[in-house]
Amino acid sequence: EIVLTQSPGTLSLSPGERAALSCRASQSVRSSYFAWYQQKPGQAPRLLIYGASSRATGIPDRFSGSGSGTDFTLTISRLEPEDFAVYYCQYYGDSRGTFGQGTKLEIK
Amino acid sequence: QVQLVESGGGVVQPGRSLRLSCAASGFTFTFYNYGMHWVRQAPGKGLEWVALVSYDGSLKYYADSVKGRFTISRDTARNILYLQMNSLRAEDTAVYYCARWIGDPFDAFDLWGQGTMVTVSS
């Protein structure tokens, strides 16, 4: 069973700064099945990145994904006020979905 | 309008049953590239995958935490996804989301419902 570990648990930054969120898999995974989601309080998650590095429809280009194998990163190049939220990595394999525990991005 | 709308949540005693529904609209529910899933989120916690059913209902998979107690199904004529939850436990308390999985080339959850709250308590 694949386990996804996200770090840090909480990231405190200011608008305009760059954010780098990490997700590590317990074993090598297929990049094509790796995704990132954003969740704001009281809302459902929203797909940001699929295939480890492709932006979903309507996602601003300040969001980018990278990585392969066991290490993946979500980068937000310049934080906007609306970007402060919880971010989850996710992998689909062996006919089941797996989520990381989340990284909370908060305003410093 | 492309959307998923869950219903059926509520307060239920431990050991009892509940059935959740997810009404799909605005897209072809039986398209071969769409799987349907349930994902839950306990209060203040992260996302937990629960179950999936293939586009035609022929394949079903479950998280170990619910296997043998929950059953996922879909009514392709009415465009509704279900989650039958039996022998409920306090740890099943969560917001339950239905989510559409879109396959190749995306392979991700691209559409989510707003969620329905299930509280298991005596």
Side-chain angles (χ1 to χ4, degrees), chain A residues 3-22:
Chain A
V3 176
L4 300 178
T5 303
Q6 293 185 239
S7 61
T10 302
L11 185 58
S12 299
L13 293 171
S14 300
E17 291 192 293
R18 179 177 177 273
L21 287 64
S22 175

PDB file of all heavy atoms in Angstrom, chain A residues 3-22:
ATOM      1  N   VAL A   3       1.852   5.011   0.630  1.00  0.00           N
ATOM      2  CA  VAL A   3       1.578   6.079   1.585  1.00  0.00           C
ATOM      3  C   VAL A   3       2.203   7.363   1.052  1.00  0.00           C
ATOM      4  O   VAL A   3       3.356   7.363   0.610  1.00  0.00           O
ATOM      5  CB  VAL A   3       2.145   5.749   2.978  1.00  0.00           C
ATOM      6  CG1 VAL A   3       1.928   6.919   3.934  1.00  0.00           C
ATOM      7  CG2 VAL A   3       1.498   4.488   3.529  1.00  0.00           C
ATOM      8  N   LEU A   4       1.433   8.431   1.084  1.00  0.00           N
ATOM      9  CA  LEU A   4       1.915   9.743   0.650  1.00  0.00           C
ATOM     10  C   LEU A   4       2.117  10.625   1.878  1.00  0.00           C
ATOM     11  O   LEU A   4       1.207  10.784   2.688  1.00  0.00           O
ATOM     12  CB  LEU A   4       0.912  10.405  -0.295  1.00  0.00           C
ATOM     13  CG  LEU A   4       0.598   9.654  -1.588  1.00  0.00           C
ATOM     14  CD1 LEU A   4      -0.454  10.410  -2.400  1.00  0.00           C
ATOM     15  CD2 LEU A   4       1.854   9.438  -2.411  1.00  0.00           C
ATOM     16  N   THR A   5       3.312  11.185   2.001  1.00  0.00           N
ATOM     17  CA  THR A   5       3.640  12.036   3.143  1.00  0.00           C
ATOM     18  C   THR A   5       3.943  13.435   2.654  1.00  0.00           C
ATOM     19  O   THR A   5       4.881  13.634   1.871  1.00  0.00           O
ATOM     20  CB  THR A   5       4.845  11.472   3.909  1.00  0.00           C
ATOM     21  OG1 THR A   5       4.556  10.134   4.332  1.00  0.00           O
ATOM     22  CG2 THR A   5       5.141  12.331   5.128  1.00  0.00           C
ATOM     23  N   GLN A   6       3.167  14.387   3.117  1.00  0.00           N
ATOM     24  CA  GLN A   6       3.337  15.767   2.691  1.00  0.00           C
ATOM     25  C   GLN A   6       4.122  16.558   3.739  1.00  0.00           C
ATOM     26  O   GLN A   6       4.001  16.328   4.939  1.00  0.00           O
ATOM     27  CB  GLN A   6       1.979  16.433   2.462  1.00  0.00           C
ATOM     28  CG  GLN A   6       1.221  15.866   1.291  1.00  0.00           C
ATOM     29  CD  GLN A   6      -0.057  16.619   1.003  1.00  0.00           C
ATOM     30  OE1 GLN A   6      -1.139  16.044   1.024  1.00  0.00           O
ATOM     31  NE2 GLN A   6       0.076  17.905   0.706  1.00  0.00           N
ATOM     32  N   SER A   7       4.917  17.489   3.256  1.00  0.00           N
ATOM     33  CA  SER A   7       5.654  18.379   4.152  1.00  0.00           C
ATOM     34  C   SER A   7       5.780  19.764   3.521  1.00  0.00           C
ATOM     35  O   SER A   7       5.838  19.880   2.297  1.00  0.00           O
ATOM     36  CB  SER A   7       7.037  17.797   4.459  1.00  0.00           C
ATOM     37  OG  SER A   7       7.801  17.645   3.273  1.00  0.00           O
ATOM     38  N   PRO A   8       5.823  20.812   4.367  1.00  0.00           N
ATOM     39  CA  PRO A   8       5.569  20.730   5.809  1.00  0.00           C
ATOM     40  C   PRO A   8       4.081  20.570   6.098  1.00  0.00           C
ATOM     41  O   PRO A   8       3.268  20.645   5.183  1.00  0.00           O
ATOM     42  CB  PRO A   8       6.070  22.098   6.297  1.00  0.00           C
ATOM     43  CG  PRO A   8       5.793  23.010   5.143  1.00  0.00           C
ATOM     44  CD  PRO A   8       6.036  22.180   3.897  1.00  0.00           C
ATOM     45  N   GLY A   9       3.727  20.367   7.349  1.00  0.00           N
ATOM     46  CA  GLY A   9       2.327  20.280   7.717  1.00  0.00           C
ATOM     47  C   GLY A   9       1.643  21.624   7.572  1.00  0.00           C
ATOM     48  O   GLY A   9       0.495  21.712   7.131  1.00  0.00           O
ATOM     49  N   THR A  10       2.350  22.673   7.963  1.00  0.00           N
ATOM     50  CA  THR A  10       1.869  24.039   7.837  1.00  0.00           C
ATOM     51  C   THR A  10       2.990  24.893   7.275  1.00  0.00           C
ATOM     52  O   THR A  10       4.153  24.743   7.671  1.00  0.00           O
ATOM     53  CB  THR A  10       1.418  24.599   9.198  1.00  0.00           C
ATOM     54  OG1 THR A  10       0.386  23.768   9.741  1.00  0.00           O
ATOM     55  CG2 THR A  10       0.887  26.018   9.051  1.00  0.00           C
ATOM     56  N   LEU A  11       2.646  25.779   6.365  1.00  0.00           N
ATOM     57  CA  LEU A  11       3.612  26.681   5.738  1.00  0.00           C
ATOM     58  C   LEU A  11       3.075  28.107   5.883  1.00  0.00           C
ATOM     59  O   LEU A  11       1.971  28.397   5.418  1.00  0.00           O
ATOM     60  CB  LEU A  11       3.790  26.305   4.276  1.00  0.00           C
ATOM     61  CG  LEU A  11       4.834  27.039   3.458  1.00  0.00           C
ATOM     62  CD1 LEU A  11       6.216  26.888   4.097  1.00  0.00           C
ATOM     63  CD2 LEU A  11       4.846  26.517   2.027  1.00  0.00           C
ATOM     64  N   SER A  12       3.842  28.956   6.550  1.00  0.00           N
ATOM     65  CA  SER A  12       3.423  30.336   6.782  1.00  0.00           C
ATOM     66  C   SER A  12       4.228  31.265   5.876  1.00  0.00           C
ATOM     67  O   SER A  12       5.447  31.378   6.015  1.00  0.00           O
ATOM     68  CB  SER A  12       3.652  30.719   8.248  1.00  0.00           C
ATOM     69  OG  SER A  12       2.897  29.896   9.112  1.00  0.00           O
ATOM     70  N   LEU A  13       3.541  31.910   4.961  1.00  0.00           N
ATOM     71  CA  LEU A  13       4.187  32.804   4.006  1.00  0.00           C
ATOM     72  C   LEU A  13       3.330  34.048   3.809  1.00  0.00           C
ATOM     73  O   LEU A  13       2.161  34.096   4.213  1.00  0.00           O
ATOM     74  CB  LEU A  13       4.381  32.086   2.661  1.00  0.00           C
ATOM     75  CG  LEU A  13       5.366  30.908   2.647  1.00  0.00           C
ATOM     76  CD1 LEU A  13       5.277  30.168   1.330  1.00  0.00           C
ATOM     77  CD2 LEU A  13       6.792  31.390   2.898  1.00  0.00           C
ATOM     78  N   SER A  14       3.921  35.020   3.144  1.00  0.00           N
ATOM     79  CA  SER A  14       3.214  36.278   2.862  1.00  0.00           C
ATOM     80  C   SER A  14       2.828  36.334   1.390  1.00  0.00           C
ATOM     81  O   SER A  14       3.490  35.709   0.539  1.00  0.00           O
ATOM     82  CB  SER A  14       4.111  37.476   3.200  1.00  0.00           C
ATOM     83  OG  SER A  14       4.475  37.464   4.565  1.00  0.00           O
ATOM     84  N   PRO A  15       1.766  37.063   1.077  1.00  0.00           N
ATOM     85  CA  PRO A  15       1.420  37.263  -0.345  1.00  0.00           C
ATOM     86  C   PRO A  15       2.622  37.792  -1.115  1.00  0.00           C
ATOM     87  O   PRO A  15       3.387  38.619  -0.615  1.00  0.00           O
ATOM     88  CB  PRO A  15       0.283  38.280  -0.272  1.00  0.00           C
ATOM     89  CG  PRO A  15      -0.347  38.041   1.059  1.00  0.00           C
ATOM     90  CD  PRO A  15       0.802  37.705   1.976  1.00  0.00           C
ATOM     91  N   GLY A  16       2.791  37.276  -2.324  1.00  0.00           N
ATOM     92  CA  GLY A  16       3.911  37.673  -3.158  1.00  0.00           C
ATOM     93  C   GLY A  16       5.100  36.732  -3.052  1.00  0.00           C
ATOM     94  O   GLY A  16       5.964  36.716  -3.930  1.00  0.00           O
ATOM     95  N   GLU A  17       5.144  35.947  -1.980  1.00  0.00           N
ATOM     96  CA  GLU A  17       6.253  34.999  -1.809  1.00  0.00           C
ATOM     97  C   GLU A  17       6.006  33.730  -2.626  1.00  0.00           C
ATOM     98  O   GLU A  17       4.911  33.476  -3.117  1.00  0.00           O
ATOM     99  CB  GLU A  17       6.439  34.647  -0.332  1.00  0.00           C
ATOM    100  CG  GLU A  17       6.971  35.801   0.511  1.00  0.00           C
ATOM    101  CD  GLU A  17       7.424  35.340   1.893  1.00  0.00           C
ATOM    102  OE1 GLU A  17       6.546  34.925   2.680  1.00  0.00           O
ATOM    103  OE2 GLU A  17       8.639  35.408   2.180  1.00  0.00           O
ATOM    104  N   ARG A  18       7.057  32.931  -2.708  1.00  0.00           N
ATOM    105  CA  ARG A  18       7.002  31.667  -3.436  1.00  0.00           C
ATOM    106  C   ARG A  18       6.812  30.528  -2.453  1.00  0.00           C
ATOM    107  O   ARG A  18       7.438  30.485  -1.382  1.00  0.00           O
ATOM    108  CB  ARG A  18       8.307  31.475  -4.217  1.00  0.00           C
ATOM    109  CG  ARG A  18       8.422  30.199  -5.006  1.00  0.00           C
ATOM    110  CD  ARG A  18       9.753  30.212  -5.767  1.00  0.00           C
ATOM    111  NE  ARG A  18       9.999  28.994  -6.520  1.00  0.00           N
ATOM    112  CZ  ARG A  18      10.574  27.913  -6.010  1.00  0.00           C
ATOM    113  NH1 ARG A  18      10.954  27.888  -4.742  1.00  0.00           N
ATOM    114  NH2 ARG A  18      10.760  26.848  -6.772  1.00  0.00           N
ATOM    115  N   ALA A  19       5.926  29.598  -2.809  1.00  0.00           N
ATOM    116  CA  ALA A  19       5.645  28.450  -1.944  1.00  0.00           C
ATOM    117  C   ALA A  19       6.046  27.161  -2.639  1.00  0.00           C
ATOM    118  O   ALA A  19       5.792  26.991  -3.832  1.00  0.00           O
ATOM    119  CB  ALA A  19       4.168  28.397  -1.585  1.00  0.00           C
ATOM    120  N   ALA A  20       6.665  26.275  -1.895  1.00  0.00           N
ATOM    121  CA  ALA A  20       7.028  24.951  -2.405  1.00  0.00           C
ATOM    122  C   ALA A  20       6.512  23.905  -1.434  1.00  0.00           C
ATOM    123  O   ALA A  20       6.936  23.867  -0.270  1.00  0.00           O
ATOM    124  CB  ALA A  20       8.535  24.828  -2.588  1.00  0.00           C
ATOM    125  N   LEU A  21       5.589  23.069  -1.893  1.00  0.00           N
ATOM    126  CA  LEU A  21       4.974  22.030  -1.072  1.00  0.00           C
ATOM    127  C   LEU A  21       5.461  20.681  -1.572  1.00  0.00           C
ATOM    128  O   LEU A  21       5.468  20.428  -2.779  1.00  0.00           O
ATOM    129  CB  LEU A  21       3.450  22.101  -1.171  1.00  0.00           C
ATOM    130  CG  LEU A  21       2.729  23.243  -0.458  1.00  0.00           C
ATOM    131  CD1 LEU A  21       3.080  24.610  -1.017  1.00  0.00           C
ATOM    132  CD2 LEU A  21       1.214  23.021  -0.518  1.00  0.00           C
ATOM    133  N   SER A  22       5.820  19.823  -0.646  1.00  0.00           N
ATOM    134  CA  SER A  22       6.417  18.545  -0.997  1.00  0.00           C
ATOM    135  C   SER A  22       5.484  17.386  -0.699  1.00  0.00           C
ATOM    136  O   SER A  22       4.699  17.420   0.261  1.00  0.00           O
ATOM    137  CB  SER A  22       7.724  18.362  -0.227  1.00  0.00           C
ATOM    138  OG  SER A  22       8.262  17.087  -0.454  1.00  0.00           O
TER     139      SER A  22
END
